[in-house]
Amino acid sequence: HFAVSAHLQPGFLADIAPLALWSTTGAALSWASSQGFLTLVAMRLGAEPVATLAATRLPMMPMNLLLAGLGGLLAPSAARWLVASGPALLHRRLMAIGAGLSTTTMLWTALLWPCREWLLATLSPHRLPHAPFLLVGWGTAFALMAIRDTMTYLPAAAGEYRTLTLLTGGTAAVSLLACGVGMHLLPDARGAMLGVVTGEGIALCATFGLLRHGQRREREISPAGTASRA
């Protein structure tokens, strides 16, 4: 650490400050979206559906912890792979990791299914309305989230925090809108869950759209760079 710090260029903090600002803003938007979802459900449906959604989400927490734990490893690894191998290989690696995490999430949900009645009765002494539907909904949402979160490490490794923050804000707004529409069409916890799954699906599509745009831009730049070197 001392050897590295000795070679840091003057003013490097000013260089990374904008990236830190965008990254912090993105994290704040993500947190606000999560809290906004619960607030929206409470305002629209009351406190009981919020408790039901939280209780049926609890069995999926091991997958959430797995995603969070791997995120701490993927962030520096993605930056290293980008420098060493380029964005194309990084894209394939992250896609494989995301698909593996999504498959693991679906397998975990399938493992929980046979013991769902006992598990949900243990989590809450009260009957949880539509609990099997909500459990499958959370499994689907986390499976989509596994791919989306993993793929965002590609633009993050390239330092595109501003783009990621704008994407986070846009998809958060769309997700909350989807939850509101879902609860309007189905005024119980199932409507909120349909909104969550729809929002995750839209966020995943938006993430792939961002990656596709980056690949197209890379292809446009590469021939120009090759021609200039020639």
Side-chain angles (χ1 to χ4, degrees), residues 15-104:
D15 294 335
I16 67 172
L19 300 180
L21 177 62
W22 283 113
S23 178
T24 303
T25 303
L29 286 173
S30 180
W31 177 84
S33 174
S34 175
Q35 299 305 310
F37 164 70
L38 296 176
T39 302
L40 183 62
V41 174
M43 291 174 59
R44 182 69 176 81
L45 303 177
E48 183 177 346
V50 174
T52 301
L53 288 165
T56 51
R57 185 176 183 264
L58 193 59
M60 301 306 301
M61 282 298 98
M63 294 299 100
N64 190 43
L65 293 174
L66 177 62
L67 294 175
L70 284 178
L73 298 175
L74 280 177
S77 298
R80 185 174 66 252
W81 292 337
L82 180 62
V83 173
S85 307
L89 180 60
L90 175 59
H91 185 279
R92 290 195 295 270
R93 285 182 175 176
L94 291 178
M95 192 67 228
I97 293 172
L101 290 172
S102 181
T103 302
T104 302

Side-chain angles (χ1 to χ4, degrees), residues 33 37-38 40-41 45 53 133-134 137-138 140-142 144-145 148 170-204:
S33 174
F37 164 70
L38 296 176
L40 183 62
V41 174
L45 303 177
L53 288 165
F133 179 92
L134 298 178
W138 282 122
T140 305
F142 274 93
L144 295 172
M145 189 190 307
R148 174 178 61 84
T171 54
V174 172
S175 296
L176 291 176
L177 178 62
C179 289
V181 172
M183 287 185 289
H184 177 74
L185 297 175
L186 196 60
D188 54 40
R190 292 174 298 174
M193 179 51 61
L194 288 175
V196 170
V197 174
T198 302
E200 284 297 333
I202 293 172
L204 179 60

Side-chain angles (χ1 to χ4, degrees), residues 76 85 87 107 114-115 119 127 140 176 180 189 200 217:
S85 307
L107 290 175
C115 57
L119 180 62
R127 180 180 175 275
T140 305
L176 291 176
E200 284 297 333
R217 186 176 58 185

Side-chain angles (χ1 to χ4, degrees), residues 202-223:
I202 293 172
L204 179 60
C205 291
T207 301
F208 277 120
L210 172 65
L211 297 177
R212 186 175 181 82
H213 175 72
Q215 290 174 337
R216 188 183 303 115
R217 186 176 58 185
E218 184 72 21
R219 286 195 297 267
E220 292 173 353
I221 293 175
S222 296

Side-chain angles (χ1 to χ4, degrees), residues 95-119:
M95 192 67 228
I97 293 172
L101 290 172
S102 181
T103 302
T104 302
T105 302
M106 289 185 288
L107 290 175
W108 175 255
T109 306
L111 183 64
L112 293 176
W113 186 254
C115 57
R116 63 188 183 280
E117 298 294 343
W118 170 83
L119 180 62

